[in-house]
Amino acid sequence: MSEFKEISTEELKKNPFQMIGKEWMLIAAAKAGKANAMTASWGGVGVMWNKPVAYIAIRQTRYTKEFVDNGEKLSLNFFGEAFRKELAYFGKTSGRDEDKIAKTGMKVRIDDGAPIFEDAETVFVCKKLFASTYAPENFIDKSILDKFYNGDSMHTLYIVEIEKMLTK
């Protein structure tokens, strides 16, 4: 049985800049009964359309994007420092090549259409609201294109409603 308890978004005590930018997160989604996840350190939280939201960016070539695009729900899973090695592995290995979840021994369950990692400290269960692919002509600061893209595929920006926040 899970140790998670549901809290309101206002009860989150952790700093989202630390959670996303420093500790990283696993973006997870399900397709055809299978879960897949990727490590991410870009994103944010806030309020949009009078809803608590998170925003994430996924490069078009990532296998996890197929899972995110397939369904309506996804999860953002945040872990303690003890899982740094596993998060690094999720970031450098494609789910196209092997079952990353099985390989790391992490436990995952599907909750309301979204994969929940049992070892996470905090989980946002989210519903997709918006998606748009970055276009080079929309960048005001063109140095970002050279630094982060330089001929590589663009990201798709997702704005997702935080429907449920779970913590231990």
Side-chain angles (χ1 to χ4, degrees), residues 104-152:
T104 60
M106 297 177 86
K107 292 175 181 60
V108 66
R109 64 179 167 87
I110 305 296
D111 181 352
D112 193 24
I116 305 294
F117 279 80
E118 293 290 340
D119 294 313
E121 291 181 357
T122 305
V123 178
F124 301 171
V125 177
C126 304
K127 178 177 79 172
K128 294 185 307 185
L129 299 175
F130 174 87
S132 181
T133 302
Y134 294 170
E137 61 272 14
N138 293 338
F139 282 82
I140 296 165
D141 181 347
K142 301 297 184 192
S143 70
I144 294 170
L145 290 170
D146 293 334
K147 184 173 182 178
F148 294 103
Y149 296 99
N150 202 14
D152 205 352

Side-chain angles (χ1 to χ4, degrees), residues 146-162:
D146 293 334
K147 184 173 182 178
F148 294 103
Y149 296 99
N150 202 14
D152 205 352
S153 68
M154 291 283 155
H155 285 87
T156 297
L157 172 69
Y158 296 89
I159 299 175
V160 296
E161 179 180 3
I162 302 170

